[in-house]
Amino acid sequence: MASTLLTSKHVAYIQSLDTKRDRLDYHLTSHLRLSGVYWGLTSLHLLNHPTALPRSETIDFVKSCYHPSSGGLGASPGHDPHLLYTLSGIQILATIDALDEIDGDKVVEYVSKLQNPDGSFSGDEWGEVDSRFVYCALSTLSLLGRLGDAPGVSAEGAVGFVLRCLNADGGFGMAPAAESHAGQIFTCVGALKIAGVFEKSLSEDQVNLLGDWLCERQLPNGGLNGRPEKLEDVCYSWWVLSSMAMIGKLQWIDREKLVEFILSCQDEENGGIADRKGDVADVFHTVFGVAGLSLLGYEGLKEVDPVYCMPKDVTDRIVWNHRKILTT
Ligand code: FPP
Ligand code: ZN
C-alpha cells in the first residue's frame, strides 16, 4: 500500500482522461464533463502541475458549453445550462485567469433568474431546489466580483434560506427540515462564508455542535462518512474537512489516520484516487482526496481554499483581496 502521494501517476491519469474519447465510459460521463474538467484542473493545480492541461483548449471547451442566449453553461456542448456547470465553467476560467473570455453580465443574468421568492435557487429552468444551488449561485457571483452587484439577486434572501436548512443536531440539509448531510453542510457553510455572514449567523454553541457532528464522521479506519451509519468515502475528506476548516475545527480530526486512509485509496498502477480502497479510481474522488490532503497540510501540495475548493492563490487574487461583504 502506497505510503506517499503518487503525484506523477495522478498527473498522468488526469492527462489521460481526455484521450479516451472512443471509450464508452467517456460518453457515459458527458453529462458531467465540465465539472470533470474543473475537478481535473483543480487537482493538477494543487499537485503543482498547473500547465498539464492545454490552456487554449480548456478555454475553447468552456466556451463550447456556454449558451449565449441564456448566459448559463451546460455539462457538454449541446447540453442544457445548469447552475452546477455554470459554476464549474467560471471556476475553470478563474483558475486559469481567463474570466474575460466570457460575458460576465450574461452569466449574472442567468444566475439571477434562478432565484426563488423564498431566497433559494433552482438548479435550472426545470426548478429542482437544493441548498447546493444557493452555493453555486453565490460562488459564481463572487468569483465574477458581482455578489453585491447582481441585479435581481437577494443575497440576504439566499442567506435566510440557508439558515432555515440548519437542523437541531448542528448540521444542515438540502432544504428546511431535511436530514443533515456533510455535502450540504459544505454548501451551506460555504454560502454563509461567501456572503460574509457566517460568524454573525451562528452562535458559539451552534458552531461547537456542528463541529461535533462533523468530527463524529471519522470512522475507526480513519476515513470519513457523510452521515451517521454510512461507509467511509474519500469525497467526504473534502465535504467534512473543508467544513471543519471553515469553522476553525480542523484540529478535531485524527490527521494521521485520515492521511493514511486517503493514500490507501490511490490506484498505484494507473494513478487516480477511488472512493475507497480497491474500488476504481475516478477524477471526482481524485480531486477531493488531493484537496483533503492539502487541507491537512500534506507536503508538496498547493494550499486549497476550503470555501471555494480552488487554489488559495487564485481566490486571494480574485475574491478575498477585494471582496464586498453584505452590510445587513
Ligand atoms: C455529496 O453528494 C455532496 C454534496 C451534496 C455537495 C455537492 C456540492 C456541490 C455540487 C457544490 C459545488 C462543489 C464544489 C466542490 C465547488 P453525493 O451525491 O455523492 O452524496 P451521497 O454520498 O449521499 O450519495
Ligand atoms: Zn464519494
Side-chain angles (χ1 to χ4, degrees):
M1 191 180 85
S3 58
T4 57
L5 184 65
L6 306 169
T7 298
S8 53
K9 295 253 182 198
H10 298 322
V11 172
Y13 165 75
I14 293 161
Q15 286 178 315
S16 77
L17 292 172
D18 200 45
T19 60
K20 296 176 177 161
R21 295 186 184 213
D22 54 336
R23 281 181 28 179
L24 180 63
D25 55 356
Y26 183 87
H27 297 283
L28 290 179
T29 54
S30 65
H31 63 292
L32 298 170
R33 183 82 62 241
L34 195 55
S35 292
V37 174
Y38 155 65
W39 299 327
L41 182 78
T42 303
S43 308
L44 291 171
H45 276 254
L46 298 179
L47 291 163
N48 280 306
H49 284 69
T51 56
L53 289 183
R55 185 174 188 274
S56 66
E57 281 177 39
T58 304
I59 294 172
D60 289 347
F61 183 69
V62 174
K63 288 167 100 170
S64 74
C65 298
Y66 177 62
H67 292 251
S69 52
S70 68
L73 289 98
S76 290
H79 286 225
D80 287 346
H82 194 289
L83 266 182
L84 286 171
Y85 307 109
T86 301
L87 172 59
S88 294
I90 296 303
Q91 287 174 306
I92 294 167
L93 294 180
T95 301
I96 58 177
D97 202 5
L99 279 172
D100 55 353
E101 294 281 347
I102 216 157
D103 182 350
D105 285 342
K106 278 303 279 188
V107 178
V108 171
E109 191 182 309
Y110 176 74
V111 172
S112 68
K113 285 193 173 146
L114 292 172
Q115 191 168 29
N116 302 307
D118 67 354
S120 66
F121 281 82
S122 299
D124 62 10
E125 59 172 321
W126 307 110
E128 189 198 354
V129 170
D130 183 321
S131 51
R132 280 181 303 163
F133 307 141
V134 179
Y135 173 87
C136 291
L138 297 191
S139 181
T140 300
L141 294 176
S142 73
L143 290 170
L144 289 168
R146 298 289 299 274
L147 189 56
D149 175 26
V153 172
S154 166
E156 292 83 0
V159 165
F161 176 79
V162 167
L163 291 174
R164 290 197 295 281
C165 296
L166 180 61
N167 291 318
D169 64 8
F172 290 84
M174 64 181 283
E179 181 193 9
S180 295
H181 182 298
Q184 310 294 343
I185 293 175
F186 163 77
T187 61
C188 289
V189 175
L192 297 174
K193 284 276 178 181
I194 290 171
V197 299
F198 179 81
E199 283 70 17
K200 74 173 183 193
S201 301
L202 266 68
S203 69
E204 199 183 328
D205 284 351
Q206 285 173 311
V207 172
N208 284 333
L209 195 60
L210 174 57
D212 283 342
W213 192 96
L214 289 165
C215 82
E216 280 164 14
R217 306 280 59 78
Q218 189 161 35
L219 300 174
N221 61 21
L224 306 176
N225 65 13
R227 278 174 289 172
E229 313 301 333
K230 297 282 178 184
L231 285 178
E232 71 283 359
D233 180 330
V234 162
C235 64
Y236 289 98
S237 310
W238 176 258
W239 309 121
V240 174
L241 218 53
S242 59
S243 303
M244 297 189 76
M246 287 190 271
I247 67 170
K249 306 288 184 203
L250 210 48
Q251 68 281 10
W252 289 6
I253 279 289
D254 184 333
R255 179 187 179 279
E256 303 309 319
K257 288 193 81 166
L258 181 55
V259 168
E260 197 182 312
F261 167 75
I262 298 172
L263 294 177
S264 77
C265 299
Q266 299 179 100
D267 181 329
E268 294 179 33
E269 219 167 293
N270 304 310
I273 302 177
D275 58 354
R276 62 186 69 89
K277 194 175 170 178
D279 284 355
V280 178
D282 60 72
V283 67
F284 176 84
H285 290 93
T286 301
V287 68
F288 294 127
V290 170
L293 290 172
S294 167
L295 284 177
L296 293 167
Y298 192 89
E299 196 188 354
L301 291 178
K302 215 168 172 183
E303 189 181 348
V304 68
D305 185 325
V307 177
Y308 289 92
C309 195
M310 290 166 61
K312 183 74 167 48
D313 56 0
V314 172
T315 57
D316 277 343
R317 172 170 54 78
I318 67 172
V319 187
W320 300 118
N321 291 347
H322 42 87
R323 64 186 258 113
K324 293 187 185 114
I325 298 179
L326 280 186
T327 47
T328 55

